[in-house]
Amino acid sequence: MASFIAPQVFFMYQWLLFDADNTLWDFSAAEAASLQATLRQTDLEWSDQLLGIYREINHEAWSEYERGLFDSQKLRVVRFERLLERFRVAGDPEELSALYRAGLAASDHLMKGARTTLEQLGKHYRLGLVTNGLKEVQRPRLINTGMQDTFEAITISDEIGIAKPEAGFFDHTFAQMGRPDPAEVLVIGDNAIADIGGAKAYGCAAAWIQLPGNTKQPPLPPDYVIGGVADLVKLLGRS
């Protein structure tokens, strides 16, 4: 359930910085479709259980990447190495990773209300995109969904070698933005650590999209809790 506060308090914000996956783009839907197509190249039998296991592996791999335990090149492959090992089947993890990423790049799944929300809020705020994503996935999706000109600032961790929640990630973003006061910036995302923890530590306000099943609490309390990106229009009192 969204937590709403009187709209007049939001005139302080000049910038809205959006996470990408499961904030604007429906990564869960794209992930399932791309993984199912990719695993046809293996002896693995598709099932909801297999998808759940892959998601656990993928989540852990991304957490390790965000903690700096390995780089994005390792991230690309390690998920499929671990999946093949888990089920003890043969396969080329690099080839599977390439197929999977190509499927993600071709996807155009958006979260409900994402496009309309950006169109409405773009009339009143400057917009940025901040994502711990892979460049060969995120850049094509911007084009696929016609959003390549929506954001004045775009930071993709794979392109700069630094991931949220590191301060250097936000330093890079704020340099693109002309270095505004962090208090004038609202970060919106679903990841409790990377999005909310990173934003709050940098001095920004944060709106946490708490998706069903997402019970891990941010290390620093978010300013607002919403159920989806479409709630922002009402939250900010803009239409």
Side-chain angles (χ1 to χ4, degrees):
M1 179 178 294
S3 298
F4 296 121
I5 298 177
Q8 60 266 26
V9 304
F10 297 107
F11 290 115
M12 71 180 75
Y13 301 132
Q14 303 298 316
W15 282 87
L16 305 180
L17 299 182
F18 292 86
D19 175 46
D21 292 325
N22 286 334
T23 295
L24 296 175
W25 281 270
D26 189 341
F27 180 77
S28 296
E31 174 188 51
S34 182
L35 184 66
Q36 185 173 15
T38 297
L39 294 184
R40 293 191 186 114
Q41 307 302 315
T42 73
D43 292 330
L44 290 171
E45 183 176 347
W46 179 256
S47 67
D48 289 342
Q49 181 184 18
L50 187 149
L51 175 61
I53 291 171
Y54 172 79
R55 283 176 167 164
E56 291 176 5
I57 291 171
N58 188 45
H59 177 76
E60 180 60 28
W62 274 100
S63 295
E64 292 173 28
Y65 165 67
E66 289 165 358
R67 298 199 305 271
L69 299 182
F70 48 68
D71 62 18
S72 62
Q73 292 301 321
K74 176 69 172 177
L75 173 65
R76 285 169 167 83
V77 180
V78 71
R79 300 168 294 179
F80 289 94
E81 289 178 342
R82 292 175 180 177
L83 185 67
L84 294 171
E85 290 171 2
R86 174 75 172 267
F87 288 93
R88 299 181 181 180
V89 298
D92 183 340
E94 292 190 2
E95 179 181 353
L96 295 175
S97 174
L99 288 170
Y100 173 69
R101 287 180 281 120
L104 289 180
S107 70
D108 58 3
H109 301 79
L110 287 171
M111 299 298 283
K112 183 178 180 181
R115 190 184 303 279
T116 300
T117 297
L118 292 174
E119 290 173 353
Q120 291 176 322
L121 295 179
K123 300 173 186 177
H124 308 286
Y125 301 94
R126 302 176 74 178
L127 308 181
L129 183 71
V130 287
T131 172
N132 281 358
L134 301 176
K135 57 189 176 184
E136 67 269 28
V137 172
Q138 305 293 38
R139 290 290 180 182
R141 288 197 310 175
L142 282 165
I143 296 171
N144 294 345
T145 50
M147 292 189 183
Q148 64 270 34
D149 298 321
T150 299
F151 306 100
E152 292 186 57
I154 297 175
T155 303
I156 299 173
S157 63
D158 184 40
E159 293 182 341
I160 66 171
I162 309 171
K164 296 178 289 184
E166 293 299 319
F169 181 97
F170 292 95
D171 286 338
H172 181 92
T173 306
F174 272 62
Q176 294 182 66
M177 297 158 59
R179 302 192 185 281
D181 183 342
E184 298 179 345
V185 178
L186 176 65
V187 177
I188 304 98
D190 68 299
N191 189 296
I193 305 299
D195 298 323
I196 308 309
K200 295 299 294 181
Y202 203 75
C204 302
W208 184 31
I209 297 177
Q210 190 174 21
L211 299 174
N214 187 4
T215 59
K216 185 172 184 178
Q217 295 296 309
L220 296 169
D223 297 271
Y224 322 106
V225 179
I226 57 179
V229 71
D231 289 338
L232 277 176
V233 174
K234 183 177 180 181
L235 176 68
L236 297 175
R238 299 294 195 177
S239 61

